[in-house]
Structures are given as structure tokens and as C-alpha cells.
Amino acid sequence: MVEIGRIAPYLQVNGSLTEHCETQAFMSSDDIHLPAGLMAHAGHYFPWDLVVLFVLAVALGVRLYRVLGRRVGMQGVRQERPRGGFGPGVQKGVAPDAARPGVPPPLPGQFAGKPGAAPGVFDQAVPDVAYEIPAPATRVGTVLGEIGSVFPGFSPDGFLKEAEETFRQVVPAFAVGDRTTLEKLLTPASVDSFSAAIDARVQAGETQRSDLRGIESLSILDAMFVSAEDGTRVGRIEVKIVSRQVNILTDREGEPLVGTEAVTEFHDLWLFERVAGQSDARWRLAASRPA
């Protein structure tokens, strides 16, 4: 430890050492002298390199937004959801909500590794699609049981299989503008929405390129009965579909407008419906939107 007595004499040199420190602390910038050459260079220098980097960053950001910041494929198609659709808190018997705007799901292309395809050099097993079905004791499970009593032969597992097949057919049909296939799989209202989107794409000279890399799962989220305008009962089932896709929309010159070449995971909600008492046994796509 330093003794106070030994440092005391230094506190009395030209006044207190503290006053000397304070004087140095408040020294003005005029007392700091830089070389004249350095000062002259600083006065005429402008950071052009920083300006160029800033402009490049802004241009890159705009480009990325055009490619990645908009919805791709069917997710960019506006579609009206039918009355009585699903949503948080919707319960069986509750008055249906007003129609809400929805958007159809993305459009993959042909399924890679489809069962039955010829094996390649590096043949790999096609992973099974996971089906998630509510338990019979739940509210949705109870409605599914009621649907089975109205539509003979219905089973949740069989329905999801049909929904998967519809997904695999609808997505490439929309990408190439195959209206005939869409009319077989969609409700009339959905066909109108999809046809309008196809017409707009053709008029703009745009091309949709889609590639479905795999379907991870299909999950039944909700089920209900609603009454049509003519009084007939309509069964509706909402399914969440998780898939991996490459989707990109290009202009007349082949420049990308929407989407990316990277494989992206998509989560979509598809609403299927079937009218009771009709000979048509297919569950048709009535509406869809991103999950």
C-alpha cells in the first residue's frame, strides 16, 4: 500500500495536481495540431466508395423483394371463401362467418418420385405422407363420424388419400392452364377464380414453373355441415397440407418475377366440400389459402 505521506508533496507542485489535470481535461480542440497535408486531404475527400456500396445494397434489396417478397403460384390468386368456412373458434352449429378472401395454395409441378415410376440409378424409397386425423372423441372426430353416416363409404383415411391425389393433379393443372382438369376437381366458384388468374397470367406473358419435391403431411383441422341456398346439406373438411416445392414465375423475357429456385416448405389450407344427395362422389376443392 502507498503511504499518503509519500504522495502528499506532489499535490503541491504549481498548485494542486488536481487543478492541473482539470486544465488538461478542458483543453480546446485548437490546441491539437495535425499535419497540414493531412488536414488538406480531409477537407477535400468524399467517401464515394460508401455511396457506391449503399446504391448496390438498395438495388439488391429491391431485387430480393421482387423475387422473394411476394406470394408465388396459387398463393397469389385471390379467391373468395364460401360462407360457413372455418376459422379460430368456429364450432358446429354456430352461424357461419361472412365470406373471407382466401388465396389458393402454391402450384408444384410434376411429383418427383411418384409411386410406380421407373427407378433411377440412385433409387430411393418414396417417404410416406403422414396423415393426421382427429380422435373420434373430439368435436371434429364426431363430425367426421356424422359425415360417414351421410356419405356411405367415407373414411377419414380414404378422404386424405383423395385429397392428396387432388393436390397432385390440381397444382400442375393450374401451372400449365389445364382448365379441363380443374373443372373436374374444383367447385364452380373455384374454377372461376382459377380461370381468371390463368387469363391474367397469359395476358401478361408470364410463365409458371413449378416442381413438387415432396408432400410431408396432410392434417384434418376441421369439419362441419352447412346448408346450401337450396336447402341441401354440404359437408366441408379443411385440410392442412405441408409440402416442399420449387415455384417461380417468369416474365416474357424469362426473368423471375415471383419465387425462387430454392426448395421452400409451404403450409397451405385446402377446403373440400361435397353436396349430399348428389351422384358426384368426389370431394371438390372449394377454397384454399396459406396456413
Side-chain angles (χ1 to χ4, degrees):
M1 179 179 295
V2 181
E3 296 180 1
I4 297 178
R6 293 185 179 181
I7 66 173
Y10 295 98
L11 299 177
Q12 302 300 326
V13 179
N14 294 327
S16 68
L17 182 60
T18 303
E19 293 176 355
H20 177 70
C21 293
E22 291 178 353
T23 302
Q24 295 295 328
F26 288 96
M27 180 182 295
S28 66
S29 60
D30 295 337
D31 296 329
I32 301 177
H33 299 283
L34 297 176
L38 180 60
M39 293 296 293
H41 180 71
H44 297 284
Y45 175 73
F46 188 81
W48 290 108
D49 54 343
L50 297 179
V51 174
V52 173
L53 291 176
F54 175 77
V55 173
L56 291 176
V58 172
L60 180 60
V62 173
R63 181 64 174 176
L64 288 176
Y65 173 78
R66 290 184 59 190
V67 176
L68 303 177
R70 297 163 54 191
R71 298 194 183 280
V72 62
M74 289 167 50
Q75 287 192 341
V77 182
R78 287 293 178 182
Q79 184 183 15
E80 195 75 12
R81 280 178 73 82
R83 295 183 179 275
F86 303 114
V90 176
Q91 300 290 332
K92 179 184 175 183
V94 177
D97 298 332
R100 297 174 297 173
V103 284
L107 280 182
Q110 296 180 350
F111 173 60
K114 185 176 181 181
V121 177
F122 300 99
D123 190 19
Q124 295 181 355
V126 178
D128 294 333
V129 179
Y131 290 170
E132 299 180 8
I133 302 173
T138 63
R139 180 189 64 83
V140 178
T142 302
V143 177
L144 291 176
E146 183 179 353
I147 290 177
S149 63
V150 175
F151 301 104
F154 171 85
S155 68
D157 188 79
F159 163 78
L160 287 179
K161 181 61 177 178
E162 180 180 344
E164 178 187 347
E165 294 175 352
T166 299
F167 184 84
R168 298 188 188 280
Q169 295 181 58
V170 168
V171 288
F174 176 80
V176 300
D178 185 357
R179 303 171 195 263
T180 301
T181 299
L182 295 177
E183 291 175 355
K184 296 178 180 178
L185 303 172
L186 277 61
T187 62
S190 292
V191 171
D192 293 340
S193 297
F194 282 47
S195 296
I198 293 173
D199 292 337
R201 190 176 63 199
V202 172
Q203 293 176 2
E206 299 171 347
T207 301
Q208 176 72 41
R209 182 170 64 85
S210 306
D211 181 21
L212 175 61
R213 298 300 177 87
I215 299 178
E216 302 293 334
S217 64
L218 287 89
S219 308
I220 295 179
L221 299 185
D222 208 343
M224 67 186 306
F225 273 104
V226 296
S227 296
E229 295 180 356
D230 57 359
T232 57
R233 302 183 71 187
V234 179
R236 287 180 178 163
I237 304 177
E238 187 171 49
V239 180
K240 179 180 180 181
I241 305 176
V242 180
S243 60
R244 293 178 291 106
Q245 311 166 19
V246 175
N247 282 290
I248 186 168
L249 181 70
T250 57
D251 59 15
R252 298 179 186 272
E253 289 72 31
E255 293 295 326
L257 296 174
V258 186
T260 173
E261 295 284 354
V263 178
T264 306
E265 183 175 278
F266 288 87
H267 296 242
D268 301 287
L269 297 178
W270 282 37
L271 178 63
F272 294 88
E273 73 176 28
R274 180 178 172 185
V275 180
Q278 293 187 355
S279 58
D280 185 8
R282 174 175 291 277
W283 287 86
R284 294 178 177 270
L285 177 63
S288 53
R289 62 185 175 89

